[in-house]
Amino acid sequence: MKAHDGMYIGGEWRPASGQDTIAVVNPADEQVIGHVPAGTAEDVDAAVRAARDAFPGWAATPPAERAARIAALRDVLAARQDEIAETVTAELGSPLPLSRAVHAGVPVLVAGSYAELAASYSFEEKLGNSTVLLEPVGVVGAITPWNYPLHQIVAKVAPALAAGCTVVLKPAEDTPLTAQLFAEATQEAGLPAGVFNLVTGIGAVAGQALAEHEGVDLVSFTGSTAVGRQIGAIAGAAVKRVALELGGKSANVILPGADLAKAVNVGVANVMSNSGQTCSAWTRMLVDAERYEEAVGLAAAAVAKYVPGERVGPVVNAKQQARVRGYIEKGVEEGARLVAGGPEAPRDRGYYVSPTVFADVTPGMTIAQEEIFGPVLSILRYEDVDDALRIANDTVYGLAGAVWGADDAEAVAFARRMDTGQVDINGGRFNPLAPFGGYKQSGVGRELGPHGLSEYLQTKSLQF
């Protein structure tokens, strides 16, 4: 697609307030594919004012009509899936099959789920002699990351619209073209002017201005825990609501009676998908001592199928490439056994990282504690089930995880003791209605389904 040279504010594309632009780079070949405006606090202010003006009318729109507009948005996204997939591949580097199935496909599913929820959700309830009203919180400032550029937008914007909120979106500077496509889709779907607004720019300028703006009632952010803390502090000073989806270091626990080959192969696929740039990736594989070396061998064989430039794309930019390679070097330095991959770049061009597997990783190692956000798997040994639980819970994060057992009951019993927000049992499938979000430093709040919708609502009680 051709990049827009303005901001989408109040239902139209408007010139940016400044002249600075951001280059959009294809991480697979390092070529510039477009430029977008670098938004300023002035642009953010104009967008927030448009959202505030539109809020009363959209909040008063019957839920069935809001549902119809979200359904129309879903239909536009579905009709433009090929264009979306090609755009994501161009600016993120994701292999085209993954872009089609996940980056373009899942947002259609999620948007559809909110079209249905908006029509069926009960926005009031009776409690004794009270009527409790669930009302939209107001103007939402949505700040989204680059790793799943459209999914993260839809996961915030769709529930906000369903609740009756209006939105100002500041997307990641690495993947703004997908956000511009989404803005076009909202216009094509007939959303009223000002209900959705887009300001491109860098986080330290446009993102901070959005988080600080007194006209924003709730900030919904997905990204690193470090930035999440900053946004939480900004919002706390103004006593405004936040929803924070942050980092993860999720454990893939393979219990002694589990199907080892299946658990290892699915676990490797989970970590390598999207070049490891997934906050909920199961980057720590926990295996009992008796079957540990067998698991290491299976993982090494499985990862060999993930060829950079074919099945695995690059990471998003040069900075991220250097960061991930630095973690691999740190793993070697701290004594982990490298069984696949390594810090050397696998291709001469593009921001590729070798799919990497470490064995003999101990819980205190850097690669077992910190979020790497690249195609790097650490395999840890445990002595018994209680030891496995201790290791699984031994990080500051608690976003996701997986448990494999001889049967579901065994796996569920273990999962109930894990300090994490979402656990897949014996290869459980993605559910767009299940709440997604974490414990501990993995964030505050939930996305997806009715729990995601409730983040954008506030309560009022009427006593009779």
Side-chain angles (χ1 to χ4, degrees), residues 165-188:
C165 297
T166 55
V167 181
V168 177
L169 170 68
K170 204 298 287 183
E173 49 263 41
D174 290 290
T175 54
L177 303 183
T178 301
Q180 290 188 341
L181 269 177
F182 181 79
E184 292 177 2
T186 66
Q187 190 174 39
E188 190 175 339

Side-chain angles (χ1 to χ4, degrees), residues 2-13:
K2 184 180 183 298
H4 290 276
D5 59 4
M7 309 298 185
Y8 186 72
I9 297 174
E12 61 183 5
W13 293 96

Side-chain angles (χ1 to χ4, degrees), residues 71-88:
L73 176 59
R74 172 204 60 203
D75 293 344
V76 174
L77 294 176
R80 300 183 69 172
Q81 275 185 266
D82 286 345
E83 183 184 5
I84 291 167
E86 290 166 3
T87 302
V88 172

Side-chain angles (χ1 to χ4, degrees), residues 220-413:
S220 180
F221 168 80
T222 297
S224 71
T225 297
V227 177
R229 289 192 192 100
Q230 296 173 13
I231 289 175
I234 291 169
V239 196
K240 69 173 69 175
R241 296 252 302 264
V242 293
L244 304 173
E245 297 294 339
L246 308 176
K249 194 68 184 176
S250 301
N252 179 18
V253 182
I254 305 174
L255 297 175
D259 182 333
L260 184 65
K262 181 178 181 181
V264 170
N265 279 284
V266 173
V268 168
N270 175 278
V271 174
M272 299 303 147
S273 180
N274 209 43
S275 305
Q277 299 169 129
T278 303
C279 56
S280 57
W282 311 331
T283 52
R284 295 180 299 141
M285 181 180 290
L286 278 56
V287 186
D288 61 284
E290 185 175 336
R291 299 195 294 176
Y292 185 81
E293 288 302 332
E294 182 183 357
V296 170
L298 288 168
V303 82
K305 301 173 185 176
Y306 292 85
V307 179
E310 296 177 13
R311 198 169 177 182
V312 178
V315 293
V316 71
N317 56 36
K319 181 180 178 182
Q320 184 67 10
Q321 181 191 43
R323 180 178 185 271
V324 176
R325 291 170 67 184
Y327 272 112
I328 297 172
E329 291 170 351
K330 189 71 171 177
V332 173
E333 177 187 320
E334 292 185 354
R337 174 167 42 118
L338 193 63
V339 297
E344 298 79 16
R347 293 169 69 94
D348 294 335
R349 194 170 193 180
Y351 307 127
Y352 289 92
V353 174
S354 294
T356 297
V357 176
F358 280 107
D360 298 339
V361 179
T362 58
M365 288 183 179
T366 302
I367 59 172
Q369 288 292 322
E370 297 184 14
E371 185 176 43
I372 298 173
F373 229 59
V376 182
L377 171 65
S378 297
I379 308 180
L380 295 87
R381 181 188 286 104
Y382 67 83
E383 298 303 323
D384 55 33
V385 171
D386 287 339
D387 190 37
L389 183 69
R390 177 187 64 80
I391 295 169
N393 288 339
D394 184 29
T395 77
V396 298
Y397 298 112
L399 185 55
V403 182
W404 303 80
D407 53 48
D408 287 353
E410 179 187 44
V412 168

